[in-house]
Amino acid sequence: MSSLHLSDSIVVAAPPEVVYDLVSDVTRTGEWSPQCRECWWLDGGTGAVGDVFGGRQETPGRTWETRSTVEQADRPRSFAWSVNDRKVFWRYDLEPVEGGTRLTESWEFTDAGQQFMAEKHGARAAHEIATRQEAARSGIPATLAAVRAIAEGR
């Protein structure tokens, strides 16, 4: 088993600091994510490495909550977090470019996450993993487009 990785990028007509402040404010995630409806800081978190936040996800026929930990908070270059005991990693990388910021969103479904799915779902694990991979494949470009619209004031 090996980790599954996906990523995509978009150029946002805003400085990296503005984009970073937007994507690192997890309480706003519901404004751009097609699946995550809301997030909230736990225990007074503010976005520093080690801070923990909860999230509520929704897909047709299913709602669930996650617990995430900030793994990297390097303003204005990168913001990353792991979900449910490092089963999944998400990250934003920001690079200044002509006209603004190249924003890259990445997803990694770790070996531990895939093993968890195998234990939880047995014979249906491959289907469950593929479902999550497809959600990331379609969700990343949708998220990036929505973040760009918000950052550019559209």
Side-chain angles (χ1 to χ4, degrees):
M1 205 176 302
S2 64
S3 294
L4 300 173
H5 296 266
L6 293 168
S7 68
D8 199 1
S9 300
I10 198 167
V11 174
V12 179
E17 293 80 6
V18 169
V19 179
Y20 180 91
D21 290 348
L22 182 61
V23 299
S24 66
D25 182 356
V26 302
T27 66
R28 297 191 65 185
T29 303
E31 295 177 42
W32 52 74
S33 173
Q35 184 170 293
C36 182
R37 295 297 171 234
E38 68 176 315
C39 291
W40 55 91
W41 291 111
L42 298 170
D43 304 321
T46 61
V49 171
D51 285 354
V52 178
F53 61 95
R56 183 175 53 85
Q57 323 299 314
E58 291 181 10
T59 59
R62 184 167 176 247
T63 299
W64 70 100
E65 289 191 359
T66 56
R67 183 178 176 97
S68 297
T69 303
V70 176
E71 300 282 343
Q72 189 170 17
D74 183 14
R75 184 181 190 264
R77 291 185 276 288
S78 60
F79 184 74
W81 65 99
S82 62
V83 183
N84 293 342
D85 299 318
R86 308 188 103 193
K87 291 177 179 72
V88 177
F89 284 94
W90 287 95
R91 70 179 291 121
Y92 290 110
D93 289 295
L94 302 91
E95 175 189 359
V97 295
E98 181 82 25
T101 303
R102 180 180 330 283
L103 176 64
T104 301
E105 183 177 13
S106 303
W107 170 85
E108 177 189 358
F109 198 14
T110 66
D111 291 346
Q114 293 174 68
Q115 183 62 40
F116 171 79
M117 296 303 264
E119 292 164 7
K120 181 176 180 180
H121 296 286
R124 288 194 42 81
H127 170 76
E128 294 294 331
I129 291 167
T131 297
R132 283 149 184 83
Q133 188 173 17
E134 184 50 39
R137 185 182 327 283
S138 63
I140 289 171
T143 295
L144 291 171
V147 167
R148 177 172 63 188
I150 292 165
E152 293 176 356
R154 288 188 267 135

